[in-house]
Amino acid sequence: MDLRTGLCCALLLVALLPLSANASSKRLSASKSQLYIVYMGDKKHDDPSIVTASHHDALTSVLGSKDEALKSIVYSYKHGFSGFAAMLTESQAEALAKFPEVITVKRNTFHKLHTTRSWDFLGLDYQPPQQSGLLQKAKYGEDVIIGVVDTGIWPESRSFNDRGYGPVPSRWKGKCQTGERFNATSCNRKIIGARSYHRGISAESLKSDYNSPRDINGHGTHVASTIAGVEVQGVSVGGLASGVARGGAPRARLAIYKACWEGDGCPDATVLAAIDHAIHDGVDVLSLSLGGFGPEYSGTLHAVQRGISLVFAGGNDGPVPQTVTNAVPWVTTVAASTIDRAFPTLISLGNSEKLVGQSLMHNASLISRDFKDLVYARSCSAELVASSNVTGKIVLCSAPAQAKFRPPAIAFQDALNHTFMAGAKGLIFAQYTTNLIDNLAGIERNMPCVLVDFEIAQRIISYFDTAGSPVVKFSPTMTVVGDGVLSPRVASFSSRGPSLAFPGILKPDITAPGVSILAARRDSYVLYSGTSMACPHVSAVTALIKSVHPDWSPAMIKSAIVTTASVTDRFGMPIQADAVPRKLADPFDFGGGHINPDRAADPGLVYDVDAKEYNNFFNCTVGLLDGCDSYQLNLNLPSIVVPNLKNQVTTWRTITNVGPAEATYRAVVEAPAGVAVSVEPSVISFTAGGSRSVTFKLTFTAKQRVQGGYTFGSLTWSDKSAHSVRIPIAIRTVVQDFVADTS
């Protein structure tokens, strides 16, 4: 979900019904048909029509007739796996769940979307340098097919011009689905396929959206152009953040799957249909900037088992711990971080003091050269604004004591609404993070707004308290890029680990730029923030690596990205995470670290996983196997989490040499506090003609018997030359299982 969308969400008040009414409601719900997802595992036949016929047969046996079965079914998943979405009563769903061929039956749920300079910041320079980097080695992503499951696409955007492209790759089996304001010419040699999934979407949503792959929201277009947009010169937001807009894999092809709709969001049924078609169509990478998908998204596993890399957004519910979503081990889950660009805005006080905030002020008609009266309205609640006479004045909103109760996004939106409706001519809003800067983009057309931290706000308050007639004025915003901007930092909104669903799997996997990302929306370019914006950066890098190493599995590509990530900034200082207060980032903030594309192309060693090994893990999630903790611990992932270390735990990992045939690596351990770590063997050598894979053992021993929190460390295999292969480690010591740590 991008944060601009989140700010516009209405607050829903749910009334508590009397017990008798609630019971009646439950009986009505049980008899009323709802959309259910029936998952049946691997398809039993290569002919899709036979797979669909088996779905009809199963429904017929429950509903009583073939006609009723045909009326009930909404989607038949028949390409990558077997299953269907159908309108069923609760009792019918329960009957289907008892069929031996049915693995799970779940109600359809609805999920949110998670929402130029960034590619230069990552070192993917478009112009060929003297020493060829990943972008050049990958031929700019030439002919890699990237599927985007999102809100659709705006095909007329300059980012999707197909000038200079060759024929569509012959392996492509997709289609260009026509519909409202989307015809066959909306696809081209850049957008090689487009589908939309309207069945099961409410009539209200369809009325407010295009019944076609066309994108009314803008989220999907922004994501797609970030992944693979062509070079577009002279792009800016009112002169700010000006430069060249482009995607990370600008020569890749795009396949669009519109599964998300205005109002209804992204239902399970449509997303599964999109994944099923993407497997059939022949995508290489699938990018999903969507929230909240867990083990029920079995279709993702089938995609990975067919060699498709899947990249998901990790969620926008940070900095609260245990909020990360999309935590299954076979996908890459992405956190969001900042880039080296800021938008400083000078605030001049009546006493000649100059302070600096952040803004996007580019509307010259709203920026007065004259001082205006300053009002301090504390939290800027409706009552305080009404009693402060703010009409025609600039209002300061600062209430640090309330920050722990209300997230900055909500507090800012309320303050903005209250001051604007009361006739204010400007807003200074204090918060503990400025990761919401792009939310000012639309507001600046109506009223200048500047974001400051609480320290700057206190200096303004001191002036306000001592001045007889306090006044203030703003100067136009500037764009600053480079070493003077502390970056990268994990964004405050970026969801944090550990995963509630799978505490033994480290999530997120990686962080990438996701704050104030400039990309296409309809015919213009806008700044969006969110893990939705970070996800396409990793999707593009995944595509580039796949182009350079077409024989690598999704696990190898993910390993290369995680093990080569940076944990320090360009000055060698540890990467920080915006939180309350700001802190040094740990693996639950950013996984392996900040993505480093050029290093990921040559990792030296990788942690590979045969995709079939994920089956045991998946079977645990649906209750078909016991002993799931051991499956999580011993999956050959490029990370290790031990959430329940009592005395000693041993795990194994296997590394595969993808670098020089002859190489020697030595283990370098950074042990988590309170834990002893041993690695056997600690030196591994590879020889020409010898095995490319070696298995090693790690043993973790608790130094103290405490019911503790997580501590962090790492294991790095170094050849003391070009390769340093690092995996993060998170360990929690416990005395007894399932003791609540709420002190």
Side-chain angles (χ1 to χ4, degrees):
M1 174 180 177
D2 79 78
L3 299 183
R4 290 166 58 90
T5 304
L7 285 172
C8 297
C9 292
L11 181 65
L12 300 178
L13 300 178
V14 182
L16 295 175
L17 297 174
L19 184 61
S20 58
N22 196 32
S24 174
S25 173
K26 286 182 177 178
R27 287 194 297 272
L28 182 63
S29 175
S31 62
K32 182 180 178 182
S33 291
Q34 300 179 67
L35 193 58
Y36 282 83
I37 310 296
V38 180
Y39 173 61
M40 304 171 75
D42 288 323
K43 57 181 183 175
K44 302 300 188 290
H45 202 283
D46 289 334
D47 186 340
S49 64
I50 295 177
V51 178
T52 297
S54 70
H55 302 159
H56 293 161
D57 291 344
L59 278 170
T60 299
S61 65
V62 170
L63 302 181
S65 75
K66 186 70 172 288
D67 285 345
E68 289 300 315
L70 293 174
K71 290 177 185 177
S72 168
I73 197 163
V74 177
Y75 291 103
S76 174
Y77 310 125
K78 54 187 178 293
H79 299 294
F81 52 95
S82 179
F84 57 88
M87 299 298 295
L88 302 167
T89 64
E90 187 176 317
S91 60
Q92 290 166 347
E94 290 172 351
L96 274 169
K98 296 175 182 177
F99 281 37
E101 65 268 33
V102 171
I103 296 175
T104 60
V105 178
K106 294 176 182 277
R107 261 199 204 105
N108 186 39
T109 55
F110 298 81
H111 305 280
K112 296 178 181 178
L113 297 162
H114 275 165
T115 247
T116 40
R117 170 63 192 169
S118 57
W119 291 114
D120 292 331
F121 180 61
L122 291 178
L124 286 179
D125 300 317
Y126 192 82
Q127 298 302 325
Q130 292 179 344
Q131 200 87 30
S132 179
L134 172 59
L135 195 58
Q136 291 73 33
K137 292 175 183 175
K139 299 179 182 177
Y140 305 89
E142 185 81 43
D143 286 349
V144 177
I145 301 172
I146 304 171
V148 181
V149 180
D150 215 289
T151 60
I153 199 159
W154 195 266
E156 293 82 8
S157 170
R158 290 176 290 167
S159 290
F160 310 124
N161 190 303
D162 69 347
R163 189 180 299 114
Y165 279 74
V168 172
S170 58
R171 58 194 169 88
W172 174 245
K173 295 186 289 184
K175 62 183 287 189
C176 187
Q177 181 181 322
T178 59
E180 185 179 1
R181 291 197 60 192
F182 202 95
N183 55 39
T185 61
S186 297
C187 294
N188 56 18
R189 290 171 296 178
K190 180 69 174 179
I191 304 169
I192 62 172
R195 299 177 186 264
S196 66
Y197 304 89
H198 66 273
R199 295 199 300 276
I201 301 300
S202 68
E204 291 79 10
S205 279
L206 291 175
K207 285 179 183 177
S208 58
D209 206 328
Y210 295 110
N211 193 354
S212 74
R214 181 170 290 277
D215 178 16
I216 199 170
N217 178 284
H219 190 277
T221 300
H222 197 280
V223 166
S225 63
T226 301
I227 296 173
V230 301
E231 263 199 337
V232 179
Q233 302 282 340
V235 168
S236 71
V237 177
L240 299 174
S242 61
V244 177
R246 64 177 173 88
R251 296 290 297 178
R253 314 294 182 121
L254 287 167
I256 304 303
Y257 300 89
K258 181 175 176 176
C260 302
W261 298 79
E262 288 293 287
D264 277 4
C266 315
D268 288 346
T270 61
V271 176
L272 273 174
I275 294 171
D276 186 41
H277 271 134
I279 295 171
H280 166 269
D281 294 345
V283 305
D284 300 306
V285 178
L286 203 51
S287 185
L288 302 98
S289 288
L290 320 174
F293 300 128
E296 71 271 20
Y297 264 70
S298 44
T300 59
L301 176 54
H302 291 276
V304 169
Q305 289 176 335
R306 285 160 176 77
I308 301 170
S309 292
L310 279 86
V311 185
F312 272 93
N316 295 334
D317 296 314
V320 180
Q322 297 179 302
T323 52
V324 68
T325 60
N326 301 319
V328 289
W330 49 84
V331 308
T332 304
T333 308
V334 187
S337 46
T338 64
I339 61 174
D340 62 341
R341 181 173 62 201
F343 302 101
T345 304
L346 188 66
I347 304 169
S348 300
L349 304 181
N351 62 357
S352 299
E353 187 172 7
K354 310 290 186 186
L355 305 171
V356 177
Q358 298 281 318
S359 185
L360 293 176
M361 286 193 294
H362 55 80
N363 188 341
S365 65
L366 292 178
I367 304 171
S368 174
R369 296 183 180 181
D370 300 324
F371 283 94
K372 292 188 179 298
D373 290 342
L374 173 66
V375 176
Y376 172 38
R378 293 173 172 78
S379 68
C380 288
S381 65
E383 296 79 11
L384 287 170
V385 169
S387 64
S388 299
N389 186 22
V390 304
T391 304
K393 301 174 183 179
I394 292 177
V395 185
L396 170 64
C397 303
S398 179
Q402 294 188 21
K404 62 182 178 180
F405 302 115
R406 303 178 72 228
I410 296 173
F412 170 69
Q413 187 69 23
D414 288 346
L416 173 68
N417 290 340
H418 297 154
T419 53
F420 180 71
M421 295 302 292
K425 291 299 181 182
L427 172 65
I428 303 172
F429 181 77
Q431 57 178 11
Y432 58 77
T433 170
T434 54
N435 294 154
L436 308 177
I437 189 75
D438 55 292
N439 291 289
L440 302 177
I443 298 159
E444 295 297 344
R445 299 171 190 164
N446 303 307
M447 183 175 75
C449 301
V450 182
L451 303 177
V452 298
D453 59 25
F454 290 121
E455 184 178 351
I456 296 293
Q458 185 57 46
R459 297 186 66 162
I460 300 173
I461 293 168
S462 296
Y463 161 70
F464 176 85
D465 287 340
T466 57
S469 301
V471 292
V472 65
K473 70 175 180 179
F474 302 144
S475 298
T477 299
M478 300 178 291
T479 303
V480 173
V481 174
D483 290 348
V485 181
L486 178 63
S487 59
R489 303 188 316 274
V490 178
S492 175
F493 59 76
S494 186
S495 290
R496 308 303 212 259
S499 162
L500 280 173
F502 311 117
I505 304 297
L506 182 64
K507 293 288 176 171
D509 294 297
I510 195 76
T511 191
V515 176
S516 298
I517 304 301
L518 185 65
R521 182 185 184 274
R522 298 198 176 190
D523 295 320
S524 63
Y525 291 81
V526 297
L527 294 167
Y528 278 177
S529 292
T531 53
S532 277
M533 284 62 251
C535 173
H537 284 83
V538 178
S539 300
V541 173
T542 298
L544 295 176
I545 296 172
K546 197 170 186 74
S547 178
V548 174
H549 303 289
D551 57 332
W552 281 13
S553 68
M556 294 170 77
I557 294 174
K558 175 180 169 180
S559 172
I561 289 172
V562 172
T563 60
T564 59
S566 302
V567 295
T568 57
D569 64 18
R570 56 197 176 283
F571 301 113
M573 300 296 290
I575 291 173
Q576 299 183 24
D578 284 339
V580 190
R582 184 179 290 170
K583 67 182 187 71
L584 297 183
D586 62 51
F588 290 150
D589 300 317
F590 65 3
H594 188 261
I595 192 168
N596 188 326
D598 279 335
R599 284 193 62 208
D602 180 23
L605 304 173
V606 293
Y607 293 77
D608 194 13
V609 180
D610 183 337
K612 293 179 181 177
E613 292 181 24
Y614 294 126
N615 286 337
N616 285 338
F617 179 91
F618 175 77
N619 288 337
C620 281
T621 69
V622 294
L624 297 180
L625 281 179
D626 297 322
C628 294
D629 287 349
S630 65
Y631 287 121
Q632 292 188 37
L633 182 64
N634 290 306
L635 266 177
N636 200 45
L637 302 175
S639 59
I640 296 173
V641 181
V642 182
N644 53 357
L645 178 63
K646 292 180 179 177
N647 294 301
Q648 189 176 87
V649 166
T650 298
T651 184
W652 285 264
R653 290 291 187 272
T654 299
I655 46 178
T656 300
N657 182 20
V658 293
E662 297 196 359
T664 297
Y665 287 85
R666 288 173 171 79
V668 180
V669 175
E670 179 189 352
V675 178
V677 182
S678 67
V679 182
E680 300 176 36
S682 60
V683 178
I684 292 176
S685 294
F686 297 94
T687 58
S691 174
R692 293 175 60 242
S693 297
V694 173
T695 298
F696 62 92
K697 180 175 74 171
L698 293 108
T699 302
F700 302 98
T701 305
K703 292 182 178 180
Q704 50 194 7
R705 291 273 295 168
V706 294
Q707 197 76 26
Y710 281 95
T711 58
F712 306 100
S714 64
L715 166 65
T716 303
W717 289 102
S718 173
D719 65 359
K720 295 188 176 180
S721 178
H723 302 109
S724 182
V725 189
R726 179 185 182 276
I727 63 171
I729 298 171
I731 308 286
R732 181 175 62 183
T733 58
V734 299
V735 176
Q736 183 177 347
D737 291 335
F738 307 117
V739 173
D741 181 15
T742 58
S743 59

